[in-house]
Amino acid sequence: SYAAVVVTRYYRAPELIFGAQLYTVAVDTWSAGCVMGELFLGKPVFPGRNSVDQLVQIIKVLGTPSESEIAAMNSEYPAHSFPILQKTPWALTLPAATPREACELIDALLQFVPSQRPSCMSALQHAFFDELRDPATRLPDGGPLPPLFDWTDAERAAHPGFLLESIA
């Protein structure tokens, strides 16, 4: 059993708001999606004043979670009725200049069901990061990118080679 308050409210995964006592690293994947969205938006994506308002802010963007989504977040959560709201596309939530690939990745990271969020390693395979894999990509000063995919022995041991190769 873990504590439900393990992350700053604006980045707190909905399963924590729903009171889940057992959770996975998918809470961190959610937080990464919140930070990524904030970088494009210039302010927190879900700026709740408290836990209830936090959930309201999430539902305003992601729509109302279904009963099965709530059960996937916390099977012990009591039956509750939420206002029915439709999902708002990320292209309408984020500034118009936000790349399509960024909207797609944010959408993948910010799923109600924790098991539907990509792992961090899988997220790195997303097309949003293709520019970092391009040898022609340069820093603003014209210099080359630093080594980004120089995997440690522990990372090589923990992940299949084909996965690491597809990221790099």
Side-chain angles (χ1 to χ4, degrees):
S1 178
Y2 302 115
V5 184
V6 294
V7 68
T8 303
R9 183 182 316 114
Y10 294 169
Y11 313 102
R12 194 170 298 156
E15 59 266 33
L16 300 176
I17 298 169
F18 278 107
Q21 296 295 307
L22 295 173
Y23 46 85
T24 68
V25 295
V27 300
D28 300 317
T29 306
W30 174 276
S31 297
C34 291
V35 170
M36 187 174 173
E38 184 173 334
L39 289 170
F40 285 100
L41 195 57
K43 61 184 180 180
V45 179
F46 308 121
R49 295 181 309 274
N50 53 50
S51 291
V52 172
D53 189 49
Q54 185 67 27
L55 188 56
V56 169
Q57 298 301 318
I58 293 169
I59 290 172
K60 282 181 181 177
V61 176
L62 298 186
T64 305
S66 67
E67 288 181 26
S68 64
E69 288 173 322
I70 293 171
M73 290 183 274
N74 181 0
S75 61
E76 303 296 318
Y77 192 78
H80 191 79
S81 178
F82 294 99
I84 303 300
L85 295 174
Q86 297 301 311
K87 182 175 184 171
T88 303
W90 286 104
L92 298 177
T93 301
L94 299 172
T98 306
R100 178 183 50 81
E101 292 85 359
C103 291
E104 291 171 355
L105 181 56
I106 292 167
D107 185 61
L109 296 169
L110 297 178
Q111 294 292 313
F112 278 122
V113 177
S115 64
Q116 291 179 355
R117 298 175 203 146
S119 70
C120 293
M121 295 301 275
S122 293
L124 289 173
Q125 292 176 297
H126 194 277
F128 175 76
F129 296 108
D130 283 353
E131 187 175 11
L132 298 177
R133 291 183 269 276
D134 182 351
T137 298
R138 294 286 178 248
L139 293 172
D141 69 0
L145 294 178
L148 299 174
F149 306 108
D150 52 344
W151 309 111
T152 66
D153 291 339
E155 289 166 328
R156 283 190 184 88
H159 303 287
F162 71 88
L163 176 62
L164 298 179
E165 289 171 19
S166 68
I167 292 170

